[in-house]
Amino acid sequence: MSLSHSTRRPLPGRTTVVMQPAFVHILTLVARLLPYRFMGFEALTWAKILPLGMMFFCILFNYTILRDTKDVLVVTAPGSGAEIIPFLKTYVNLPMAIGFTVGYAKVSGGLAPFIRVSTA
């Protein structure tokens, strides 16, 4: 019989952290104050959609600005031109993306025994 993630006991001598973001309390407060529906969605749903929409906008905005700036700096650099862009994407960008993905997988997998998610 295997234990599910929520029923595991912490290791002796180690403390577990229950991750409870502060915005959970804000979302429940908004849901109590605005118990009506707007455009088919409840207030609690809007309290989640609006911050996520703002984050999505900021990420896309920053990505667009950085991508355009990178292209301009690479093309106008002395001794280089537009022919360097495929080289950079193949031999610099791709290995770094794979390396960061592997590193993130190792770090996030190594932290799993220390984090317990509470369902109550």
Side-chain angles (χ1 to χ4, degrees):
M1 179 174 128
S2 66
L3 296 174
S4 67
H5 187 68
S6 62
T7 60
R8 288 185 186 158
R9 300 280 183 228
L11 297 173
R14 296 190 181 176
T15 59
T16 58
V17 177
V18 177
M19 307 284 265
Q20 181 104 18
F23 68 87
V24 172
H25 301 294
I26 296 170
L27 294 178
T28 54
L29 179 65
V30 168
R32 287 184 192 154
L33 293 176
L34 303 172
Y36 60 89
R37 298 170 69 90
F38 179 69
M39 292 179 54
F41 295 108
E42 296 178 359
L44 184 61
T45 305
W46 279 110
K48 294 176 185 177
I49 289 175
L50 292 177
L52 286 173
M54 288 300 298
M55 287 182 355
F56 188 69
F57 170 76
C58 291
I59 289 169
L60 287 179
F61 180 78
N62 287 330
Y63 177 74
T64 303
I65 297 298
L66 287 172
R67 183 187 58 202
D68 295 342
T69 305
K70 176 207 45 125
D71 289 342
V72 167
L73 291 176
V74 167
V75 169
T76 60
S80 69
E83 65 274 0
I84 197 74
I85 293 176
F87 172 79
L88 290 175
K89 287 188 178 186
T90 304
Y91 296 109
V92 177
N93 201 7
L94 181 63
M96 287 182 64
I98 293 171
F100 279 115
T101 303
V102 169
Y104 179 79
K106 287 187 184 264
V107 169
S108 65
L111 294 177
F114 301 107
I115 297 175
R116 179 177 55 109
V117 178
S118 175
T119 58

